[in-house]
Amino acid sequence: MKELLNKVPCREKQLNTLLDLFGEYDEPLPYSIFISGSMATGKTLCLTNVLDYLRYKHITIDCIECYSPKIIFETILAGLQDDDVETKCETLSDLTNYMNKFGDDKITYEPIIIIFDRAERLRTMDQTLMCTFLRLREFCNLNICTVFVTHLAYDNFYFKIGALEPIQIFFPNYTRDELFKIIILNHKTFIDQMLSQHKIEEDISNELAEKQLFANFLNAFLTVFYRPCRDLIELQHMAQINFIKYCEPIIREEIKASDVDRLWRHITPVLKSSLAHLYLRISEGKPVSPSKENKTELHKLYNFENSLKEELMSTKTFAQSFELPYYAKFLLIAAYLASYNPPKEDKRLFMKNHGKQRKRLQQVKAKAKVTEKLTTQLGPKVFTLDRLLAIFYAILEEKIGLTSNLLAQIATLVELKLIAGSKEIDLDTAKYKCIVGYDFISAVAQTVDFNVSKYLYDFI
């Protein structure tokens, strides 16, 4: 157990739960397990380390790479077989038949685990697929368990038909103390990266390698970054960038390594300015233009174009960095369409059989003044909740029920200041307004393969 805790620190409860569920080698496995939690909370790391520790056979399926049922079936069969023979498998019945043949050939009651990483992608496939995987052990004579790893709660998986409810394990976000313990374990990596970027004298490098110096920096870093970000991967990335800045005055011999107060005053404004680059992963360095007097105008133009490009790229990256649930993205898109489309055009934009529309003289004259009356330039308009939901169901290809979780996502969008309105959901009186721009919404729409301009009145 100590070996597991060294590999996966601060997850003792979850490790014990998984070890208890998988049990001994000759014991029957549970039908299915559902592991949920936010990004970078150690879900997949815990699971794979436990299975390696128990030496159980396991097959990991990334649901982004395996984007179709056929690829999933063939990946499972390839993992079950010891040789590299490719087996074609088109349907679920073919999969169960092959698995039963595999079970007949096996003499021992070998435990087999199938891991579906990023299992939220299974919602876009046939619903019978996940329902079958939840009870796969019933259809084959194998000691098999399916494990679903996702950042969504189980309530977000909507089934029209009955499904066997899995055993659920939740991974909470790391606390501040836990983040401190995990990041400080990588102290040597931070020092090695800094030494590779700077030429430092031996005496100063010994001072920088002190663990107490890194602990002081980490306390200052988490004071600023812990509230807006709980993602361990992103925090480690930002800590690596800012630790070098923290040590720069020590390298230049301006501040001593033991002077904690001066180092705190030096790094606090730097950390606050770094918050603007959280999740963006963009370079802070600005291009240096050549210093020639006869090219001043060219330099200004180059800098303007470069800053404009950086602004557009940062908007797109910022929009795509939002880890919104799948349906919340469509709710945000629907809010944008409701804010920037006239209500009288909803039938024409969102219904397939809206009938023919005659071109009147007033409409022709209105179209002639496009630049003066673009709704996307006039600003967002207020819309009601029932109109938002009507547009949401019109643009969403799959059919889902109106649940409390879906309505709660509207309140989340208000909390994130992506739409303006009341957090309390009232179907009769609630009114909202989308406060994000076209660049932002088009970047969000790209993540769900949705064409926003197709449903905007200005682009018809």
Side-chain angles (χ1 to χ4, degrees), residues 160-178:
K160 290 182 181 178
I161 58 177
L164 180 71
E165 189 164 337
I167 298 168
Q168 297 181 40
I169 303 173
F170 177 67
F171 279 65
N173 286 325
Y174 290 111
T175 62
R176 176 174 170 163
D177 291 338
E178 288 172 342

Side-chain angles (χ1 to χ4, degrees), residues 127-138:
Q127 286 195 351
T128 56
L129 189 68
M130 187 164 178
C131 292
T132 306
F133 283 140
L134 283 168
R135 57 202 317 160
L136 184 62
R137 195 168 152 202
E138 291 182 3

Side-chain angles (χ1 to χ4, degrees), residues 213 216-217 242-250 263 266-267:
L213 178 72
N216 293 336
F217 159 75
N242 288 285
F243 182 60
I244 296 170
K245 296 177 183 177
Y246 182 78
C247 295
E248 279 176 357
I250 302 173
L263 286 170
H266 159 72
I267 199 62

Side-chain angles (χ1 to χ4, degrees), residues 236-299:
Q236 284 184 323
H237 171 71
M238 296 305 294
Q240 282 184 340
I241 294 171
N242 288 285
F243 182 60
I244 296 170
K245 296 177 183 177
Y246 182 78
C247 295
E248 279 176 357
I250 302 173
I251 296 168
R252 294 193 299 264
E253 298 183 9
E254 294 173 359
I255 303 174
K256 292 182 179 180
S258 58
D259 196 343
V260 180
D261 293 336
R262 286 189 67 190
L263 286 170
W264 168 270
R265 287 194 295 271
H266 159 72
I267 199 62
T268 301
V270 177
L271 291 175
K272 288 180 180 178
S273 64
S274 294
L275 278 174
H277 303 291
L278 191 64
Y279 292 111
L280 297 184
R281 300 292 180 102
I282 57 174
S283 175
E284 293 182 10
K286 295 181 181 178
V288 180
S289 18
S291 54
K292 290 184 180 180
E293 295 177 0
N294 56 349
K295 293 185 178 180
T296 309
E297 293 299 322
L298 241 137
H299 296 162

